[in-house]
Amino acid sequence: ETVKAGEPISTVILAFALLGEREGTSTYASLLPVVLGVGMASSGEAGGGLDAFLATVGSNFGFSARAVFAKQLKRDFPTSPAAASDVCLFFHISWIGLLGLLPLACLSEGATLRAALGGGGAGEFDVGRFLSVMGLNGLMYTAYNQFSFMVLSRVSTASHAVLNVCRRVCVIAVTTAFFGTPLSMVNMVGVVIAVLGMFWFTHAKTRKVEEKKKA
């Protein structure tokens, strides 16, 4: 989750590469403490292996690409239903993602799931609990995204970004307590630096938007 806090960095990179958007010096400078904090927070046991770190960075670019391409869709095809409604856009993204991920899930976990459902894991696999947890997870994730769109439509982008940073802090704290992952002093300082960098990034972005409005 701490590594995911670096998602704005990949967004800036893709926005520049695909949309030609340029940021101010203060915005780029604010990325430095984020990178430093993420590196510190991800070091040691709390950070997992290199493969997990690279997968998370890849996830950042995936989510950033979704946002950048969504913006490109709204700019180039403003009259399309998906461009006119964020909820409609998320619906189409979701079912397309399902078509892509379901075959991969079946290939990687299909044999294990069939063995468990067929009794191979009798006494160890609770089908009812599995289905209920999977359903609850899907419901909560859908609600999270829907509420996120609702909040975004009612507050400024900067306010939404600040709230999102606060959410990440809560998630880091809860997952650390729930899974019992030990955090060293370096990890904790890294979390603080990364979060402060995110606030600086948000402030720099907000100031740039305000300057454009005044101009």
Side-chain angles (χ1 to χ4, degrees), residues 186-208:
V186 174
N187 296 142
M188 291 186 285
V189 172
V191 171
V192 173
I193 293 176
V195 171
L196 290 177
M198 289 303 302
F199 277 111
W200 182 9
F201 177 88
T202 302
H203 173 71
K205 290 282 290 183
T206 304
R207 187 171 62 179
K208 183 180 179 181

Side-chain angles (χ1 to χ4, degrees), residues 113 116-117 121-134:
L113 184 60
L117 294 176
E124 300 178 3
F125 186 76
D126 188 338
V127 177
R129 185 174 185 276
F130 168 74
L131 294 177
S132 62
V133 170
M134 187 172 66

Side-chain angles (χ1 to χ4, degrees), residues 17-84:
L18 300 178
L19 301 178
E21 292 185 355
R22 297 178 180 272
E23 302 294 338
T25 303
S26 180
T27 302
Y28 288 126
S30 67
L31 301 180
L32 296 178
V34 176
V35 174
L36 175 62
V38 167
M40 294 173 62
S42 304
S43 63
E45 182 179 354
L50 178 61
D51 54 346
F53 177 81
L54 294 177
T56 306
V57 172
S59 174
N60 282 352
F61 276 94
F63 278 100
S64 297
R66 184 181 71 173
V68 171
F69 283 129
K71 185 174 182 178
Q72 190 174 38
L73 172 67
K74 292 177 181 292
R75 185 190 66 183
D76 297 342
F77 305 96
T79 58
S80 66

Side-chain angles (χ1 to χ4, degrees), residues 20 29 63 92 99 101 112 121-122 143 147 150 173 196 198:
F63 278 100
H92 287 294
L99 292 180
L101 290 176
T112 302
F147 279 120
M150 291 173 62
L196 290 177
M198 289 303 302

Side-chain angles (χ1 to χ4, degrees), residues 39-175:
M40 294 173 62
S42 304
S43 63
E45 182 179 354
L50 178 61
D51 54 346
F53 177 81
L54 294 177
T56 306
V57 172
S59 174
N60 282 352
F61 276 94
F63 278 100
S64 297
R66 184 181 71 173
V68 171
F69 283 129
K71 185 174 182 178
Q72 190 174 38
L73 172 67
K74 292 177 181 292
R75 185 190 66 183
D76 297 342
F77 305 96
T79 58
S80 66
S85 171
D86 287 330
V87 176
C88 180
L89 177 60
F90 178 70
F91 167 76
H92 287 294
I93 290 174
S94 297
W95 73 259
I96 292 174
L98 177 64
L99 292 180
L101 290 176
L102 189 58
L104 296 177
C106 292
L107 287 174
S108 61
E109 303 291 344
T112 302
L113 184 60
R114 285 194 300 271
L117 294 176
E124 300 178 3
F125 186 76
D126 188 338
V127 177
R129 185 174 185 276
F130 168 74
L131 294 177
S132 62
V133 170
M134 187 172 66
L136 180 62
N137 179 71
L139 178 64
M140 292 295 103
Y141 186 73
T142 301
Y144 152 67
N145 281 283
Q146 294 294 343
F147 279 120
S148 180
F149 281 119
M150 291 173 62
V151 171
L152 183 58
S153 66
R154 288 167 170 77
V155 301
S156 66
T157 306
S159 298
H160 188 266
V162 171
L163 292 173
N164 202 41
V165 170
C166 295
R167 178 188 66 82
R168 293 195 184 283
V169 175
C170 294
V171 171
I172 292 171
V174 172
T175 52

